[in-house]
Amino acid sequence: MKMPSIFSKKNNATVDVDRGGEAVVEESKKGGWLNTVINVILVIAIVVAVVATYFSFVSTSGNGVPNVFGLQFFSIQTDSMYPTLMPDDLIIDTKIKNPDDLRPGDIITYWTVINGERVLNTHKIHNVYDGGGYWIFETKGDANTTVDPLTVHESELVGLYRFRIPGLGKVFNYLQTSTGFLIVVVIPVFLFFLYHLVQFFRLLFEYQNIKNRIKYEQERGRTEDLIAAAQSEQARKEEERAAMEAELREQLRAELLASMGQQAPAAEPAPAVEPAPAAEPTPAAEPTPAPQSESTIVEIVDENGNVKRVRRTVVKKVVKKPVAGATEPANTEAKAADQSTEE
């Protein structure tokens, strides 16, 4: 059975990227599930690409068969082992440590020459021969009616069959083609690095934004502190000024009261009051005569030639001279009041 390709598993390590701060982690949680899905797909693609590339190179070179933890992976290409093994099955072999343990009926994978090409083949052991210090194995496919024309030297043994995964070998066969290599290897690797490059710059910009925001908040806090300190200092100065003004007013008031007390003269004793001379008896005043009045009617012609009759009343008041020794009034002349009334 011809087996042109060999495949093995490879461990892949994932590295967490430092988000640069708790704020960035909180911001990235919004699209966390999408990033996780993309990362898983890309990592799987990278693993498959690395495995396919590695085994493609080794199988082409013909320098050996790699294994992972003692397991070897092969893809079945023909139906020579039908119905035990089917084309496109993926088989898993273990390394043969002691050829003496092999018996007829065991399925082995070995190097052989088919159509002039050295290839890997998987057939069942038909007979075992002692070659004098080494073993010779005769093989035959389950679907073949005759044994293989070439025997197998124990140095050509590769692995002992353990189990198979139906259909999975077709996937690895496709990876050996140029189209499969481009789709499964080149494109995923390119997308992987492109995605993480974009993520790197996005995180870098987020880090710069957070850094600038923190710096702005710090500057804002300092400004508010300076304003509060300036307001506190201004209030303190105003309180000191008010206290100083009150102290100066009290001091000026005290000085003013003191100066007023020094300038005020001592009170002089009041002079003794001499007794007033006894008043002489005032002679009895004579009764004042009643005023006399005279009324006359006078005709007056106005500017329009109208004649008006006016009653004219003259009041005469007689003032008598005071008695000797009495205070003389300011005016002792007789006065007449001229009162006119129009009729």
Side-chain angles (χ1 to χ4, degrees):
M1 179 179 295
K2 185 179 179 181
M3 304 182 64
S5 60
I6 307 171
F7 304 92
S8 67
K9 294 180 179 179
K10 184 176 179 63
N11 292 334
N12 186 74
T14 58
V15 181
D16 294 332
V17 180
D18 183 10
R19 288 308 202 183
E22 295 181 357
V24 179
V25 174
E26 293 297 332
E27 185 71 19
S28 64
K29 285 183 179 179
K30 298 179 180 179
W33 67 271
L34 180 60
N35 292 334
T36 302
V37 172
I38 294 176
N39 282 328
V40 169
I41 294 175
L42 291 177
V43 167
I44 292 175
I46 292 297
V47 171
V48 174
V50 170
V51 171
T53 304
Y54 176 64
F55 281 106
S56 176
F57 172 77
V58 172
S59 63
T60 302
S61 65
N63 291 330
V65 177
N67 65 85
V68 178
F69 303 113
L71 300 178
Q72 299 167 333
F73 300 85
F74 305 96
S75 176
I76 301 301
Q77 303 296 309
T78 66
D79 58 356
S80 61
M81 281 296 291
Y82 180 85
T84 305
L85 300 176
M86 302 292 292
D88 297 329
D89 284 352
L90 181 69
I91 65 172
I92 292 88
D93 290 0
T94 57
K95 187 177 181 180
I96 300 173
K97 297 181 180 179
N98 189 3
D100 296 340
D101 298 333
L102 296 176
R103 297 290 183 271
D106 292 338
I107 299 175
I108 59 174
T109 300
Y110 53 90
W111 287 105
T112 188
V113 177
I114 299 177
N115 297 328
E117 182 181 0
R118 189 171 186 266
V119 296
L120 286 166
N121 196 22
T122 299
H123 274 179
K124 188 178 290 185
I125 298 175
H126 188 262
N127 285 313
V128 180
Y129 302 101
D130 186 0
Y134 57 88
W135 295 101
I136 301 296
F137 300 93
E138 185 181 45
T139 58
K140 177 182 177 296
D142 288 349
N144 297 337
T145 57
T146 61
V147 296
D148 296 333
L150 298 177
T151 58
V152 180
H153 190 277
E154 66 176 30
S155 63
E156 301 294 332
L157 296 175
V158 174
L160 179 63
Y161 169 79
R162 294 301 181 182
F163 61 93
R164 71 187 180 97
I165 302 176
L168 189 58
K170 188 175 183 179
V171 176
F172 290 99
N173 291 334
Y174 178 73
L175 295 177
Q176 303 302 309
T177 64
S178 59
T179 303
F181 183 82
L182 176 66
I183 294 176
V184 180
V185 178
V186 178
I187 294 178
V189 171
F190 173 75
L191 293 177
F192 179 82
F193 287 104
L194 179 63
Y195 172 76
H196 284 282
L197 183 65
V198 173
Q199 290 291 93
F200 171 76
F201 283 105
R202 186 179 68 84
L203 294 175
L204 182 63
F205 292 148
E206 288 181 358
Y207 174 76
Q208 291 295 334
N209 291 334
I210 293 174
K211 185 178 179 181
N212 294 334
R213 190 180 305 124
I214 293 174
K215 184 176 179 181
Y216 169 75
E217 293 295 337
Q218 291 176 348
E219 294 295 335
R220 180 181 178 184
R222 292 196 195 98
T223 303
E224 292 178 352
D225 292 341
L226 291 175
I227 293 175
Q231 292 177 350
S232 177
E233 182 67 17
Q234 184 68 20
R236 186 184 63 81
K237 290 182 179 180
E238 291 179 356
E239 291 178 358
E240 292 180 354
R241 186 183 300 109
M244 186 179 298
E245 291 177 355
E247 183 179 355
L248 289 175
R249 283 197 297 269
E250 292 294 332
Q251 185 177 357
L252 291 174
R253 181 181 178 185
E255 292 178 356
L256 182 60
L257 292 176
S259 61
M260 291 176 62
Q262 292 177 359
Q263 293 177 2
E268 297 180 356
V273 180
E274 297 181 354
E280 296 180 357
T282 303
E286 297 181 357
T288 303
Q292 299 178 0
S293 61
E294 296 180 356
S295 296
T296 56
I297 296 175
V298 180
E299 293 182 354
I300 299 175
V301 179
D302 58 10
E303 296 178 354
N304 298 325
N306 297 324
V307 179
K308 293 182 178 181
R309 299 181 67 186
V310 179
R311 181 184 297 275
R312 185 174 182 181
T313 302
V314 179
V315 179
K316 295 181 179 181
K317 184 178 180 181
V318 179
V319 180
K320 299 182 66 176
K321 293 183 179 180
V323 182
T327 303
E328 185 177 357
N331 189 4
T332 57
E333 297 180 355
K335 298 181 180 179
D338 187 359
Q339 298 180 355
S340 300
T341 57
E342 183 177 353
E343 295 184 355

